[in-house]
Amino acid sequence: MKMPATVRVGGLDYTIKPWNRMAADNTGAYGMCDRSTLVILIQEGLTPQWEAHVLVHEVLHAAYAAAGMTAIHEHVSEERLVGALSYQLIQVWRDNPDLVAYIEAVFRPAKGKLKA
Ligand SMILES: [Zn+2]
C-alpha cells in the first residue's frame, strides 16, 4: 500500500514526498519533517515496515511542533511530552483515515485476508 500524499497535523497539511537515498544518507536520517515548508520526506527504498515507522516518526515531529514545542524544550518532563502528544495523536488519527489505513495495511497485512 502506498503512503498517503498528505497528512494533517495540528491543522496544517504536510505533503509527504520521497527522499533521494543519497540525499538522505548525507544527513544520516531516513526521514525529515520540514516545518517551514510543511513537507515530510521519507527515504526511498526502505522496507514497507521501516517506511511506515519513519512516517510515524516524522508525524510525531510535526505533532511536537504543533503542540508548541521546539528544540528549546529538550528537557521537558515526560508528563508534559506525553500530554502534548496524546492530544496531537488523537487529532492525527481522526483527521487522517488514509494514514490509519496505510499503517494497518503495513502492520496487519493478514487482516484483509481473514475477512475474505
Ligand atoms: Zn527524529
Side-chain angles (χ1 to χ4, degrees):
M1 183 167 186
K2 279 189 63 169
M3 284 186 292
T6 63
V7 59
R8 181 165 294 170
V9 184
L12 301 176
D13 293 331
Y14 284 78
T15 301
I16 300 166
K17 295 182 177 176
W19 197 11
N20 175 278
R21 181 167 183 167
M22 274 178 47
D25 279 349
N26 284 338
T27 71
Y30 292 139
M32 186 174 70
C33 176
D34 188 337
R35 295 154 206 170
S36 62
T37 58
L38 300 180
V39 169
I40 289 175
L41 297 173
I42 307 294
Q43 182 184 305
E44 295 173 311
L46 298 175
T47 66
Q49 289 192 355
W50 257 114
E51 181 183 85
H53 172 266
V54 173
L55 178 57
V56 169
H57 181 104
E58 300 310 327
V59 165
L60 286 174
H61 274 299
Y64 187 81
M69 298 165 80
T70 66
I72 64 165
H73 297 97
E74 188 178 324
H75 301 293
V76 71
S77 74
E78 180 175 343
E79 219 36 57
R80 165 88 170 92
L81 178 61
V82 170
L85 289 181
S86 62
Y87 278 109
Q88 297 300 323
L89 196 55
I90 287 168
Q91 176 272 313
V92 167
W93 200 335
R94 293 189 77 185
D95 287 350
N96 298 282
D98 289 350
L99 176 69
V100 174
Y102 163 73
I103 293 168
E104 278 288 315
V106 170
F107 289 110
R108 294 188 220 270
K111 193 175 177 185
K113 290 177 188 166
L114 292 174
K115 285 183 180 173

